[in-house]
Amino acid sequence: MLEKINKKIVPNNVVNDLIKLYNKNEFLQILEKEKQFAFLYKDSIDVLNIFGSTYLALKNCKRAINKFNKAIKLNPNIPTIYYNLGLAYHHTGNMDVAIANYKKAIDIKPDYDEALNNMGMSLEQKGDVREAIDKYNKVLEINPGHAGAYYNLGNIFSKNDNWSLAIKNYNRAIDIKPDYADAYFNLGNTLRVQGNLKEAVNAYEEGLLIEPDNQSMKHIIASLTGKKTEKAPREYVENLFDDYAIKFEITLVNDLKYKTPKLIRNILLKLNDNKALGSVLDLGCGTGLFGEKIKNHCTKLHGIDLSNKMLTLAKQKNAYNKLMQTDIIEYLLAMPLGFDYYVALDVFIYVGDLNEIFRLIKTRNKKPGHFVFSTEHTVKDGYHLLRTGRYSHSKSYIESLCKKFNYNLSHYSTIDLRKEKGEFLTGGIYVLSF
């Protein structure tokens, strides 16, 4: 959040020029300016705030936090700086410190609706749903036209299966802000879960009129209208799991009865006569559920994932030697490959066409190895984009890829993958050697 704070220290034209660059997303130009102004204006709250906001926009939270803290030392009574500092800590996943800084901003400025709204978001991330709802309602008491608070209430009610209240709040957000693409998207998601597919498509299409290049909306529309695509867009998967991260394990393991990591570990140990498995690459490692199960049975364990928030949780398990935020194809193309096992559990539900993954593992790995993965199983030949936005794969499709790229199918079985709407989905388990 940018505003001119102390006009006397820095000439207006300097601050104004930096703010204009920021509003145009010319962040690299601002960093060039930093080299010129950081020393000359190191005691300027305005310049520190702009540089901090720039680093935050570039997802360099460490440097952003450093700039905001320097500004606070110059003047500890500016609510905007505490707000921005809270935002930076929110992005690092440190919700407690984020909330503490939002509170400081509100203590100085009690009607600070944006700080209250963001405090609600941090509380929600912590799982303090009631407190979050209370903050959003306080925002609306201060500012009844705050579309973001209605949107956030819609998200809470949607996640807790209160569909009618979710839809009501999304519509309020859209009434206030007709170009609110995210509200249209989540309204569509809620309607889709309810089974109101026609209305859901209408909501997504309204969102696309606002953001014609929104790949997530295009993906879901394709899933609901019978179109076939090769994979889910990166932004769709990344946003899905960033939003899901805090509740991922509780929901997946406890509510949906997901047991695939343990089953895969047992299968691999049995096939390998309980010997150490060597080096393992966990493709789409998530919060590290498989890493926890396999860490004592391998010599090296690396993990990759699209979701930074999932990787933050995986890191806390201390199971992996190395974790990296990247796309599977990008990693397989760019990194040196020499693993004994490539494992992808509940990952290919977001990748339809597996040709390139099969090809890269086979051609780029420096030694013979194993490729292990689960699928959402279908008896229909090929792969299919489902109305859920996920993909299913048939055994015949996997066998065709094995033949094409010269893999041997060492193990195949079907399992109860996880529950959906109270019923177990059928999963396929594959162990290939090459």
Side-chain angles (χ1 to χ4, degrees):
M1 185 173 187
L2 288 182
E3 61 183 48
K4 284 185 284 186
I5 296 165
N6 190 340
K7 300 176 185 177
K8 294 180 180 179
I9 294 177
V10 178
N12 273 343
N13 65 306
V14 173
V15 178
N16 289 339
D17 287 347
L18 289 173
I19 290 176
K20 285 177 183 177
L21 288 172
Y22 182 88
N23 290 335
K24 292 179 181 178
N25 296 330
E26 299 287 352
F27 302 127
L28 295 181
Q29 286 192 41
I30 294 175
L31 296 188
E32 286 298 316
K33 297 281 186 183
E34 182 186 11
K35 296 174 184 177
Q36 302 171 36
F37 294 120
F39 175 74
L40 293 174
Y41 301 112
K42 66 182 187 304
D43 294 329
S44 166
I45 295 170
D46 280 309
V47 173
L48 287 168
N49 187 44
I50 293 167
F51 290 153
S53 298
T54 299
Y55 281 119
L56 186 54
L58 294 171
K59 298 184 179 180
N60 189 334
C61 294
K62 185 176 181 180
R63 287 199 172 186
I65 289 167
N66 176 266
K67 298 295 182 186
F68 295 138
N69 277 326
K70 285 182 177 180
I72 287 169
K73 285 182 180 179
L74 295 175
N75 187 339
N77 297 305
I78 300 174
T80 302
I81 306 297
Y82 287 111
Y83 170 87
N84 287 340
L85 187 56
L87 192 58
Y89 276 110
H90 181 101
H91 285 307
T92 68
N94 194 333
M95 300 305 157
D96 288 330
V97 179
I99 291 165
N101 279 283
Y102 291 136
K103 187 177 184 303
K104 287 177 182 178
I106 295 161
D107 287 343
I108 298 167
K109 184 180 177 182
D111 63 347
Y112 202 160
D113 55 346
E114 287 299 330
L116 276 165
N117 186 56
N118 278 33
M119 184 187 287
M121 293 168 68
S122 295
L123 287 163
E124 186 181 346
Q125 282 290 310
K126 283 188 65 181
D128 296 338
V129 174
R130 289 185 180 180
E131 285 292 319
I133 291 173
D134 177 67
K135 294 298 180 287
Y136 298 141
N137 284 328
K138 284 183 179 178
V139 171
L140 294 171
E141 288 176 13
I142 296 167
N143 179 6
H146 198 291
Y150 282 117
Y151 171 78
N152 288 331
L153 283 169
N155 289 342
I156 283 184
F157 291 128
S158 183
K159 289 172 185 176
N160 288 277
D161 299 345
N162 194 332
W163 314 122
S164 60
L165 275 179
I167 291 168
K168 182 178 179 180
N169 280 279
Y170 288 137
N171 280 324
R172 283 181 176 175
I174 291 165
D175 288 341
I176 295 166
K177 187 181 177 184
D179 63 347
Y180 206 155
D182 287 343
Y184 275 114
F185 181 65
N186 283 9
L187 174 61
N189 290 341
T190 303
L191 291 165
R192 176 166 58 102
V193 172
Q194 278 190 300
N196 297 327
L197 303 187
K198 186 176 180 180
E199 291 180 44
V201 170
N202 289 338
Y204 294 129
E205 288 178 341
E206 288 291 333
L208 272 180
L209 291 175
I210 301 162
E211 293 185 357
D213 295 326
N214 189 303
Q215 298 303 312
S216 296
M217 287 195 234
K218 288 181 179 179
H219 174 68
I220 296 299
I221 289 173
S223 75
L224 296 179
T225 56
K227 294 180 182 178
K228 189 172 184 178
T229 58
E230 293 184 355
K231 65 177 182 178
R234 176 173 181 155
E235 68 181 51
Y236 172 77
V237 178
E238 188 173 348
N239 291 337
L240 179 68
F241 285 98
D242 274 350
D243 290 343
Y244 195 26
I246 198 71
K247 290 186 176 181
F248 178 77
E249 292 193 16
I250 293 172
T251 301
L252 192 61
V253 177
N254 295 349
D255 299 341
L256 305 183
K257 309 301 179 185
Y258 178 72
K259 300 177 181 178
T260 306
K262 183 178 179 180
L263 291 172
I264 290 287
R265 180 201 64 188
N266 293 342
I267 288 169
L268 295 184
L269 290 176
K270 184 176 180 181
L271 289 173
N272 205 45
D273 296 325
N274 288 314
K275 297 176 183 176
L277 299 176
S279 56
V280 177
L281 176 61
D282 191 353
L283 300 164
C285 63
T287 61
L289 288 172
F290 180 66
E292 277 188 310
K293 301 297 182 186
I294 206 70
K295 65 180 180 180
N296 294 327
H297 305 283
C298 55
T299 55
K300 179 175 72 174
L301 179 60
H302 289 189
I304 66 171
D305 203 276
L306 282 178
S307 168
N308 184 57
K309 290 184 180 179
M310 299 285 270
L311 287 169
T312 298
L313 295 173
K315 187 176 181 179
Q316 294 172 7
K317 290 183 167 61
N318 295 315
Y320 294 87
N321 302 104
K322 187 175 182 180
L323 289 165
M324 182 182 296
Q325 183 181 13
T326 184
D327 173 77
I328 291 174
I329 297 292
E330 289 176 3
Y331 184 95
L332 295 177
L333 277 169
M335 301 299 290
L337 304 181
F339 292 92
D340 295 298
Y341 285 85
Y342 292 82
V343 181
L345 303 188
D346 232 28
V347 172
F348 295 155
I349 58 175
Y350 298 105
V351 185
D353 187 345
L354 301 178
N355 271 273
E356 188 67 353
I357 294 174
F358 269 65
R359 184 186 73 81
L360 289 170
I361 290 174
K362 179 64 192 300
T363 59
R364 295 205 65 242
N365 205 55
K366 295 178 181 178
K367 59 182 178 179
H370 306 271
F371 185 18
V372 186
F373 55 90
S374 65
T375 65
E376 196 165 313
H377 183 67
T378 179
V379 295
K380 295 192 297 182
D381 287 342
Y383 68 87
H384 305 273
L385 178 57
L386 309 174
R387 286 181 172 177
T388 58
R390 303 191 302 264
Y391 292 89
S392 63
H393 299 80
S394 68
K395 184 186 178 189
S396 61
Y397 175 72
I398 301 301
E399 287 174 331
S400 71
L401 293 177
C402 288
K403 184 177 181 180
K404 182 177 181 179
F405 296 104
N406 197 24
Y407 287 83
N408 295 314
L409 181 55
S410 305
H411 172 91
Y412 166 75
S413 60
T414 57
I415 61 167
D416 289 335
L417 188 61
R418 55 186 140 65
K419 284 190 172 183
E420 184 170 279
K421 295 180 180 179
E423 300 292 331
F424 274 108
L425 297 172
T426 300
I429 298 294
Y430 298 85
V431 179
L432 314 181
S433 57
F434 60 91

